[in-house]
Structure formats: C-alpha cells, structure tokens
Amino acid sequence: MRRLLLLLVLVLVACAQVPTSGPIVEVDQQVTDTANNSFVRVIARPPQPGMTQSEIVQGFLDAASGFEDDHAVAKEYLTAEEAGRWNPSTGTRVYGNDTESLAQTTDTTVLLTASQVGLISDRSQYVQSPPASLMEVPFELQRVGADWRISGAPQGLLLSRAAVERSFREFDTYFVARPGGMLAPNPILFQSSQTDITMDLVKELVAGPSRWLAPAVINAFPAGTQVRSVTVTDGIAGVDFSSAILRADAVARQHLSAQLVWTLRQIAAIRAVTITADGQLLEIPGAQNPLPRTAWADYDPDGLSGAINYYVARGGRLYSVDAGNSATQLAGAAGNADPPVTNPLISIDQTAAAANDQEGTLLTTQLENDSRWRDGPLTSSRGGSWDRTGLIWLPVDGGVQVVNVLGARDVACPLAAITSVQVARDGSRATVISDGRAYLLRVDRSTTIPALVGPRLLSEVQVRAASWLNANSVVLLTTATDQPAQVATVDLGLYTMRYLGGPPRARSVAAAPDRAVLSGTADGQIWAFNGATWVPVLEGRQPRYPG
C-alpha cells in the first residue's frame, strides 16, 4: 500500500499540467454556513508508560492542537505544577510541516528546532514570519514516579502548519475601505471546535481591524461601543450595543450597519439583522428593519456588479468577451486598431480602457462614447491595474507610478524590481511582484499621492503574473525552475496555496469573482479553468477582467 501511495504521488508531481486541487468555488448571496461546517477533529493521545523524553515532548506538541477542555490532554504531559503555570492562550507560533526536529541535549532537556513560518496574533490573525526564520525552543523534563513529564514548557502554543489548518477556521470582519463606499475584509481565525462564534465575531468587528490593515480602512463603530448581547431567533440576529453607538452620525450608521451585515452573513442561519442601542432600535437612514442579509449590496468588497466581461487583445484590436466566451470587437479606436494596441487595462466600471501603442505610449479612451485614444506618458501598461478611484497603477523602471488626468507620479514602495502591481478592487491592498516574488501590501491614501507599505510575502515560489480573484484571495502564475508555469490561488487568511495546473506555455493570468480563471499563452490562445482542467476558449492575448 505504501508503495502504491508513493507511486501515485510521483505520478501527480510529474504531471505538472494536471490540477493538484479542486477550484475555489465562490458564491454570491447564498453564503456557506462556515460556522456549522464539519472539520477534522483532533483526537489527542495521552502519554503512555515508558515514553522517552523526546517522545513526551513530541506527544505534547501533537496534543497541543486539541482544544477540548482547555487542552486537557496536552496538560497530561506536564507535571502538576507546570500544568497550573502553562497558559496556551498567550499566543501561537507556527512551524513548517515536517521541519521540526527534537534533540536531547541533556538527560532533562529536549530542544525543539523548526522552521518558523508564522504566528497567530493577539487579534486572531495569521501573520507570516520572515523567510528563513528559525524556532529553537527548550523543554525541561523531570521524572514523576517511573515516567517523564515536562516541567518547563514555553507559554502559548507551538503548532505545525497542518495543525493550524485543522484546528482553525477562517472568517472575516469587514471595514469601510478608504476613501469610503466599499468594504474590505479583515481575516480572523476561530477554533474549529467552537460551535457558536456569533458573539465573538461581533466583538471582533467592534474591536476594529488588525494593526496592519487599520490605516487603510474606517471602523464606523464609535470608540467605546460595547456589545451587550447577540441573539438569533428564527434566523434574525438581534445585536444590542451600548449607548455609545448613538454618537454615530447618519453616514457612520450606514457604514457600521453594512459592516455588521456583511460580517454576520457568513453564518447562513442568519437571514436578517436588527441593530439596537440599549434595547432601542437604532435609526439608520435608508435602511429597513430588520436588515436582510442581502442589504448594502453596493458595499460589496469585490467591487464588481452586473454583467462582467473580460477583454483580450487580438491583432491590435480590443475585444469584450462575455461569460459564454463570445467575443465582440469594441467600437471606436479601441476596437479598430487605430492605432494597434497591446496590454489592455479596463476600468472597474467598464467605461474606459488603457493600452500601449507600438511606440510604448500609454493610451486611454472612454469606451462608452467611442472616443479616440488620449495620449499619456511613454510607459508600459503591462503588469498594471486600474483602481476604483480612477488611478492607473503601473510598474515603471522597477518602481511604481500612478497615472490619471493630472499626469504620472511616483509611488513610494519599499520593494524594488517591480514587474506587476495589482490593486484590490476595494482599493485597500495591492499584490506586487518584486524580483519574481509576490507580496501583499497595504495602500496608504493618507497623502495626495498614495503609497504602498507593509509588504507581506505571499509565496516563496517564483511568480510571473498576478490577479485578484476576489477580496479574499489572489491568483498567481508561478514559474518554478524546470517546471511548466502553473496557476495557483492564495487565500489571504492562512495564505494557503492551491495549485490549479495550467495551460501549456502560459504567460498571463486573469481572475474575477464568480468568473472563470483565465490564462493567455505564448501562441495567442486564451484558456479557461473549468473547475477540473484547462480548456482553450478563443484566440487572443493578455486576458483582462476589469480592475
């Protein structure tokens, strides 16, 4: 059996074009009840007589991912005194799968060495550690009767990456992305064994976003707001806040109710929300009572609505392609190859396009009135994106520029050798490819010219192109050495990467919520991922969804 399993693994590795996982399925108004999803329950094993010092430490590490009864089984590996001192809730450090080793340095000391890949912050958010981070943790042991027990354990939890994925579930709290009008997700983690997270979810929302995201968003709940109670009756969640919420003005009340509805709609059993202050209904301009789970659709963090087409370049002309892969040549200069263009970018509202002419000049045009191209700076639109404020973001000379009617301006960014900058459709974050690595950065709009700050590495693998799948995940075109290019999705909660395979000679990637992931190839074909494999759908290059 073991030989058969090994053979299957080798076959899968060899077949680089075969997807190694299923697709990420996105939904719109019908949201999966993540609060009630089944999960793999960790069955922690208690210590057995005669275990060696290293076996005791390994057993403790394995049992630490079992949260039942306040880690009761893990505490069996500790002396009585240490079980009283050990506090698993002080933080979680995460080490890479199969990177840990235990060395008995003395008769009573065992040293854990592992690659540290991340930690879970005090705001319940997974944060990746810098590359090559090392974890060295000593454990002190003593005999209790005939057996060994741990007398000195580190505070908090030490969990493998696999244990984290088993033991936690991802949720989002939502905040208003600057400059307002849309929501941005703030990923948080809850223990998988926690059956009801409704109250904790609302408390996390009111407490605000993570320190990393906070400068890019607005928390409309007034300072000092407390959650008094959360009840769910016949699918209606009644959330009662302290009177501090009454300080919110009309706009803030709309914002905070949108934040609350979008946060609670992750629980499918909740079909509507009522907001009260000290038991009295909170007046919210323009909102009905109770608020249905479909309320505030215009705050959608994915930023797209209606019929979302994608766009391709073919023979210097731009085409709009519908969900059935039927291509229509655009009217006016954009579709008439006047002049021939490449590297198309489309505004989020699908009213404007940008592209390059043969001399490399950036051209822009309004699609709705078939206007001629408007000349811009001599710079490439390849690897650029268009944000919801009307700024075109471009990688220029290894850095970043923004372009609008006022001209081109340099953007401060701590990274170099940049080849792609993709701004999330909510405008709060950006995926940047620097020196072949993909990073997540925050968009700082506190100054006239926005900046990119706080880089977080998304993946160690080499990356050629990137696109936002939705507000919670991105798509990367990876280019590992001696391997065909493959498309991968990365969720922004646990930074889990799932490979989807890829078409032959892939050169670009495009994604949008509830639409097929696309890839353009070197021979001028557009391929789509149909949920199981990649299929060619039409001729063209550089597929692009709005944004």
Side-chain angles (χ1 to χ4, degrees):
M1 177 61 75
R2 293 182 64 181
R3 289 183 178 179
L4 177 59
L5 290 175
L6 178 60
L7 178 60
L8 289 173
V9 169
L10 291 174
V11 169
L12 287 174
V13 170
C15 298
Q17 302 305 117
V18 178
T20 55
S21 69
I24 297 176
V25 179
E26 300 296 329
V27 296
D28 45 22
Q29 302 297 341
Q30 298 300 318
V31 181
T32 301
D33 187 0
T34 49
N36 292 323
N37 276 355
S38 60
F39 64 95
V40 178
R41 183 176 298 276
V42 176
I43 302 176
R45 297 184 300 171
Q48 301 299 310
M51 294 178 77
T52 66
Q53 297 93 315
S54 294
E55 289 172 340
I56 287 291
V57 173
Q58 186 63 63
F60 172 77
L61 294 172
D62 294 340
S65 59
F67 285 81
E68 287 78 5
D69 299 323
D70 192 24
H71 300 274
V73 176
K75 289 179 179 178
E76 292 185 35
Y77 287 87
L78 309 177
T79 64
E81 294 80 4
E82 185 63 13
R85 288 191 296 261
W86 182 59
N87 183 358
S89 63
T90 59
T92 301
R93 286 179 285 173
V94 185
Y95 56 88
N97 297 333
D98 302 320
T99 66
E100 74 274 19
S101 64
L102 296 174
Q104 186 172 331
T105 57
T106 72
D107 192 48
T108 58
T109 304
V110 173
L111 180 67
L112 166 67
T113 303
S115 171
Q116 181 168 321
V117 296
L119 56 84
I120 298 176
S121 72
D122 57 354
R123 294 304 313 279
S124 303
Q125 189 168 49
Y126 183 80
V127 179
Q128 287 184 311
S129 296
S133 295
L134 189 65
M135 178 189 300
E136 292 184 328
V137 183
F139 289 82
E140 298 298 326
L141 296 94
Q142 69 180 50
R143 283 196 179 273
V144 177
D147 294 306
W148 290 99
R149 292 292 183 265
I150 298 171
S151 57
Q155 295 298 315
L157 293 175
L158 301 171
L159 298 177
S160 69
R161 172 69 193 207
V164 170
E165 294 182 6
R166 287 195 308 266
S167 303
F168 291 89
R169 289 176 294 166
E170 298 179 35
F171 291 85
D172 290 295
T173 49
Y174 287 92
F175 300 91
V176 180
R178 297 182 187 276
M182 287 179 61
L183 295 176
N186 177 70
I188 57 174
L189 303 174
F190 285 108
Q191 298 170 16
S192 295
S193 56
Q194 186 173 347
T195 57
D196 184 6
I197 52 89
T198 310
M199 170 64 90
D200 289 339
L201 196 57
V202 177
K203 285 183 176 179
E204 285 286 346
L205 172 65
V206 174
S210 68
R211 287 183 289 273
W212 183 85
L213 183 63
V217 297
I218 300 165
N219 184 10
F221 287 91
T225 302
Q226 301 294 319
V227 185
R228 296 185 63 204
S229 65
V230 178
T231 60
V232 181
T233 305
D234 295 330
I236 299 177
V239 186
D240 189 37
F241 296 99
S242 64
S243 59
I245 199 174
L246 297 173
R247 297 200 302 269
D249 61 21
V251 173
R253 292 186 185 195
Q254 291 177 329
H255 285 349
L256 68 85
S257 62
Q259 289 180 235
L260 184 62
V261 168
W262 276 84
T263 297
L264 287 180
R265 60 180 272 170
Q266 296 170 95
I267 303 174
I270 295 177
R271 57 183 179 84
V273 178
T274 296
I275 305 175
T276 56
D278 281 341
Q280 301 300 311
L281 190 66
L282 182 69
E283 293 185 8
I284 304 171
Q288 64 186 92
N289 177 48
L291 288 156
R293 64 185 294 121
T294 55
W296 306 118
D298 52 339
Y299 281 76
D300 188 343
D302 285 326
L304 298 174
S305 60
I308 304 303
N309 289 352
Y310 67 91
Y311 297 78
V312 300
R314 184 193 297 169
R317 297 175 170 83
L318 300 188
Y319 289 77
S320 174
V321 187
D322 63 20
N325 295 307
S326 176
T328 301
Q329 182 177 314
L330 293 179
N336 291 333
D338 183 20
V341 293
T342 57
N343 305 319
L345 301 177
I346 307 298
S347 65
I348 288 180
D349 59 7
Q350 300 184 92
T351 64
N356 285 127
D357 66 11
Q358 292 173 317
E359 283 72 43
T361 302
L362 179 70
L363 307 176
T364 57
T365 186
Q366 295 295 316
L367 298 177
E368 51 192 5
N369 56 16
D370 303 339
S371 62
R372 293 190 58 80
W373 292 104
R374 181 178 183 275
D375 286 351
L378 186 66
T379 185
S380 176
S381 55
R382 181 184 295 274
S385 61
W386 204 318
D387 80 8
R388 66 186 178 96
T389 71
L391 291 176
I392 301 174
W393 296 69
L394 302 171
V396 177
D397 297 329
V400 178
Q401 287 186 348
V402 288
V403 178
N404 62 4
V405 294
L406 299 177
R409 293 163 292 174
D410 291 335
V411 170
C413 179
L415 303 176
I418 295 170
T419 57
S420 174
V421 54
Q422 305 297 313
V423 177
R425 295 178 179 100
D426 61 60
S428 66
R429 298 149 297 153
T431 302
V432 172
I433 299 177
S434 167
D435 197 25
R437 296 284 198 274
Y439 295 83
L440 180 71
L441 290 93
R442 184 179 71 248
V443 179
D444 181 358
R445 299 182 187 270
S446 61
T447 57
T448 303
I449 302 175
L452 297 173
V453 296
R456 290 181 168 180
L457 183 65
L458 287 178
S459 171
E460 292 278 4
V461 300
Q462 288 286 312
V463 175
R464 181 188 181 98
S467 180
W468 283 83
L469 177 60
N470 53 49
N472 304 82
S473 56
V474 297
V475 173
L476 306 177
L477 180 63
T478 66
T479 55
T481 305
D482 299 327
Q483 292 287 333
Q486 291 199 66
V487 177
T489 63
V490 181
D491 86 86
L492 302 180
L494 278 172
Y495 297 93
T496 303
M497 178 175 284
R498 298 182 175 91
Y499 282 95
L500 306 180
R505 303 175 67 194
R507 293 293 183 270
S508 61
V509 68
D514 308 316
R515 297 296 185 270
V517 177
L518 306 171
S519 181
T521 59
D523 59 353
Q525 293 290 323
I526 307 298
W527 293 62
F529 186 65
N530 67 6
T533 189
W534 289 87
V535 294
V537 291
L538 78 162
E539 292 184 4
R541 297 180 184 275
Q542 302 146 353
R544 186 78 198 188
Y545 284 103

